[in-house]
Amino acid sequence: MRYLLDHVKEISQSLYFPHKDISADERMVASKHKYSGIRQFIKDKPIRFGIKLWVLACSVTGYTWNFFVYLGKKRTNIVDKSKGLAYTVVTTLCEKLYGQGFRLYVDSFYTTLHLRWHREGSFVFIPWKDCKTVTLMSPLHKGSDVTSCYRTISNRSAWKRQNIKQPLVIHDYNVNMGGVDLSNQYLNKYSSYIRTQSHWWKVLFFHCFDIMVVNSYIVFQEFIGKYPAQFENTTFDSRFGQLEFRESIASELMNIGRSSVEDIVTKHMPSFLNNRKDCVYCNAKASMDVLPSPSHKVFSFCNTCHVPLCCSATRNCFYQWHTEVNVQKYVSQNGKFKKRKLEN
């Protein structure tokens, strides 16, 4: 399983380079398995029981760029015990992105002064009271950088919507912190695994499968947005959702693409006449075996070969005609049977 996890991470990192803004957070993969030692319980989460993953995702697209499984308090390898688990999580997830100009957004669990030493320059600490007082730390913003937002404020008579000032760091955090949440929305919408599976490795296997499918879908959407001219004469557009994308993958893997389905519908399918005609196969087979010609008149015929053929539970000449090449050759060489073919 470790090889599979490493392989998925390696492929995900090689095929996509995230946008400038990235975010790190935890992810719970729902599972009711037992006796693994890695199942976690988080009381205030929508998914309370499951396997916890630490995830680094693109804040713009929700692309899962890096992740690893939390093995528990005792089995997790802490880089520096004096700096704690949060420091280990952030440094492990961002190890390959140091010094490349990315802007990382994390919540209060990962915010630690030990991460300051990975950047040069000063930091700003900004408290702001919305519903309650929150404090943010940033090396990218200034205390004087402000923007505006709307809040519903109550006065003595009624509630009114007002435009108030907001620190820019608060705005950027709200916009860019949801990368992992966006990724979770993609993954949970059409998940491949079953929550009641009793084996932890099955849960991780199907979760890795979902990660690869969702990441492929995100790359596909990015490609459509960047090169729309290449998809003008196709059925793919910006409205091509994840469900259609998964269906197209399944169709390609099963070799039942759109073109092959159209061929099956339009080629060698039984159609019906207004008047009955003699079955060409029955008469040709009797002639080849030097037997009396049977009187089998039918309404059905092949819409590609244009020959009347029996197509019933008792006589399936339609199948025999298309599998016995010698009968077709005999009919094509015999003028008597050529006349029995229908006009195109």
Side-chain angles (χ1 to χ4, degrees), residues 61-258:
T61 61
Y63 187 95
T64 301
W65 199 82
N66 197 4
F67 66 94
F68 66 93
V69 180
Y70 178 56
L71 301 178
K73 184 177 180 180
K74 295 182 179 179
R75 291 190 290 178
T76 299
N77 184 21
I78 304 296
V79 175
D80 190 342
K81 293 185 178 181
S82 63
K83 297 180 180 179
L85 176 63
Y87 177 84
T88 299
V89 171
V90 175
T91 53
T92 303
L93 291 175
C94 302
E95 184 178 4
K96 297 183 179 180
L97 299 178
Y98 286 152
Q100 300 185 39
F102 287 96
R103 301 191 297 189
L104 174 66
Y105 293 84
V106 295
D107 59 21
S108 58
F109 176 80
Y110 311 90
T111 303
T112 170
L113 292 176
H114 297 297
L115 294 174
R116 292 180 57 186
W117 311 118
H118 287 270
R119 286 192 59 91
E120 297 179 356
S122 59
F123 280 67
V124 62
F125 294 83
I126 301 178
W128 189 62
K129 185 175 182 180
D130 192 1
C131 296
K132 61 180 181 179
T133 302
V134 293
T135 303
L136 281 83
M137 179 179 70
S138 173
L140 305 173
H141 301 81
K142 297 180 180 179
S144 58
D145 294 339
V146 295
T147 182
S148 61
C149 65
Y150 286 95
R151 290 292 184 270
T152 303
I153 300 176
S154 174
N155 54 24
R156 294 182 179 180
S157 59
W159 293 83
K160 291 186 178 180
R161 186 175 176 85
Q162 294 184 5
N163 189 354
I164 63 174
K165 291 184 178 181
Q166 182 186 51
L168 183 61
V169 61
I170 300 290
H171 173 269
D172 290 347
Y173 176 85
N174 292 335
V175 171
N176 299 305
M177 182 55 205
V180 178
D181 294 335
L182 178 60
S183 177
N184 293 342
Q185 291 176 12
Y186 281 131
L187 291 168
N188 294 330
K189 193 170 185 179
Y190 303 106
S191 59
S192 302
Y193 64 91
I194 303 174
R195 295 187 179 184
T196 56
Q197 287 177 344
S198 58
H199 301 288
W200 63 268
W201 59 269
K202 287 184 179 180
V203 177
L204 284 179
F205 173 82
F206 284 108
H207 185 68
C208 288
F209 179 81
D210 284 334
I211 288 176
M212 290 186 289
V213 172
V214 170
N215 283 351
S216 301
Y217 171 70
I218 292 173
V219 173
F220 175 74
Q221 289 290 333
E222 290 262 295
F223 192 81
I224 286 183
K226 192 173 182 179
Y227 305 102
Q230 298 188 18
F231 298 89
E232 290 181 352
N233 299 324
T234 65
T235 58
F236 304 116
D237 55 20
S238 59
R239 296 171 295 178
F240 196 76
Q242 186 187 167
L243 178 60
E244 292 79 7
F245 183 77
R246 286 176 176 264
E247 290 176 347
S248 65
I249 292 177
S251 299
E252 290 294 332
L253 292 176
M254 293 186 292
N255 197 22
I256 53 172
R258 185 180 300 273

Side-chain angles (χ1 to χ4, degrees), residues 298-313:
V298 294
F299 289 101
S300 55
F301 73 99
C302 176
N303 61 0
T304 301
C305 302
H306 298 283
V307 292
L309 297 167
C310 300
C311 187
S312 63

Side-chain angles (χ1 to χ4, degrees), residues 276-296:
R276 294 194 302 170
K277 301 287 185 180
D278 289 324
C279 175
V280 172
Y281 177 82
C282 291
N283 286 270
K285 191 68 174 175
S287 177
M288 292 172 63
D289 297 337
V290 194
L291 296 174
S293 298
S295 179
H296 295 158

